[in-house]
Amino acid sequence: MKMKRLGALMLAGLMAISLTGCGSSSSSGSSEKTYIIATDKTYPPFEMENDQGKLIGVDMDLIRAIAKDQKFKIKINSLGFDAACTALEAGEADGVIAGMTITDERKQKYDFSKQYYETGVSMGVKKDSGIKSYDDLKGKTVVAKTSTAGLAYAQKIKDKYGFNLEVVEESTFMFEKVKSGEAVACFEDTPVLKYMIKTGELDFDTPCGNENPAYYGFAVLKGENADLLKKFNKGLANLKKNGQYDKILAKYE
Ligand code: ASN
């Protein structure tokens, strides 16, 4: 009798343990794990909404294709760039894909995947602005986005060229300021400006060319989520091999 009761207790204990395992927030009913991926707000051609309100773009297509290839699920949170990094640091996101430049400074805080896209920073001005070089910025207002590579570059040259620097949360706000004349120029990633000029979304020029050439990477918090990083790199390599990576890039050229 005693032994029977002990056996039942042990069985109940085991069931409780296995139930807890099933209830973990990051695993779904199936064996596929769900990762929370944070991204920027509208950032063409990397993340943007189509006419049906679906998030599309190089980053969105890539992460979905990688998730499919590596058999994991994703939940995408479109937060804004600075907010995406904050979410990652707070443990509210497992990874960030947001047209994010791999820099030595960021490597102190994040682990990056293999690079997946070439980038750099350019000055964007309205076509009829008359701004042809950084010298023309003297005494004028320039705008950049919080926590970005574009802002870092603007901060670096601000005193040399004597301009005022305004900082906003979203690229869209930045472009609006330049369009309205509140600012004469913005500093933004070259592929974003080039794409938006090409599609006619911006009637802008990039008179000074590409600064700080670099690459985009997918980021996880340093020392955390090595599994996810490995899956991203493996998936990326597979997509490069099977032609899907080239197809995604070609879609947004
Ligand atoms: N391209 C920016 C950076 O790497 C990120 C962004 O604006 N989405 O700083």
Side-chain angles (χ1 to χ4, degrees):
M1 187 66 185
K2 242 186 173 173
M3 280 308 283
K4 254 192 188 165
R5 204 179 296 148
L6 193 63
L9 268 173
M10 279 171 72
L11 192 66
L14 275 173
M15 277 171 76
I17 289 167
S18 65
L19 272 175
T20 322
C22 284
S24 138
S25 63
S26 54
S27 59
S28 61
S30 73
S31 60
E32 288 188 5
K33 203 176 158 110
T34 300
Y35 292 104
I36 298 171
I37 308 295
T39 189
D40 202 347
K41 295 250 174 83
T42 308
Y43 200 58
F46 302 97
E47 26 274 343
M48 55 205 184
E49 275 186 14
N50 69 5
D51 294 343
Q52 285 81 50
K54 188 186 172 197
L55 274 174
I56 56 161
V58 173
D59 288 349
M60 299 299 98
D61 289 10
L62 266 183
I63 192 73
R64 285 192 190 110
I66 288 171
K68 198 169 172 201
D69 182 83
Q70 292 296 302
K71 303 191 176 18
F72 62 87
K73 292 204 170 89
I74 48 170
K75 183 178 179 305
I76 293 170
N77 284 347
S78 181
L79 303 174
F81 182 65
D82 185 58
C85 296
T86 305
L88 187 63
E89 285 165 38
E92 287 159 11
D94 297 301
V96 169
I97 189 159
M100 184 174 184
T101 304
I102 304 170
T103 66
D104 287 340
E105 200 189 336
R106 287 177 178 162
K107 278 187 195 162
Q108 312 290 314
K109 288 205 270 182
Y110 313 117
D111 289 328
F112 282 97
S113 69
K114 291 262 161 53
Q115 60 199 42
Y116 68 84
Y117 203 96
E118 233 179 314
T119 188
V121 168
S122 288
M123 175 173 75
V125 298
K126 264 205 294 188
K127 256 197 184 134
D128 56 4
S129 71
I131 307 274
K132 298 265 178 271
S133 73
Y134 300 145
D135 290 318
D136 298 329
L137 298 175
K138 199 170 174 62
K140 306 253 165 60
T141 298
V142 168
V143 64
K145 183 169 75 174
T146 319
S147 301
T148 62
L151 175 62
Y153 186 72
Q155 277 166 336
K156 203 177 95 187
I157 64 164
K158 177 179 175 276
D159 291 341
K160 183 172 174 197
Y161 295 102
F163 57 80
N164 309 311
L165 187 56
E166 222 186 282
V167 182
V168 295
E169 282 298 314
E170 292 182 32
S171 291
T172 312
F173 303 160
M174 193 167 71
F175 301 138
E176 286 311 317
K177 285 207 180 260
V178 177
K179 283 184 197 167
S180 73
E182 272 180 79
V184 294
C186 63
F187 281 89
E188 175 58 283
D189 288 19
T190 308
V192 174
L193 286 170
K194 287 252 142 84
Y195 180 83
M196 294 183 79
I197 290 170
K198 201 176 153 199
T199 56
E201 285 170 85
L202 292 177
D203 198 18
F204 280 21
D205 267 337
T206 53
C208 296
N210 191 43
E211 311 281 4
N212 292 350
Y215 292 94
Y216 288 154
F218 167 76
V220 298
L221 201 58
K222 202 172 175 66
E224 309 282 332
N225 264 320
D227 271 9
L228 176 56
L229 205 56
K230 221 163 124 189
K231 287 176 195 169
F232 186 96
N233 283 332
K234 259 195 174 166
L236 181 64
N238 288 345
L239 300 191
K240 282 190 172 178
K241 253 187 268 156
N242 68 22
Q244 250 183 298
Y245 170 85
D246 286 337
K247 262 196 199 150
I248 291 172
L249 262 55
K251 235 168 106 180
Y252 300 103
E253 256 171 14

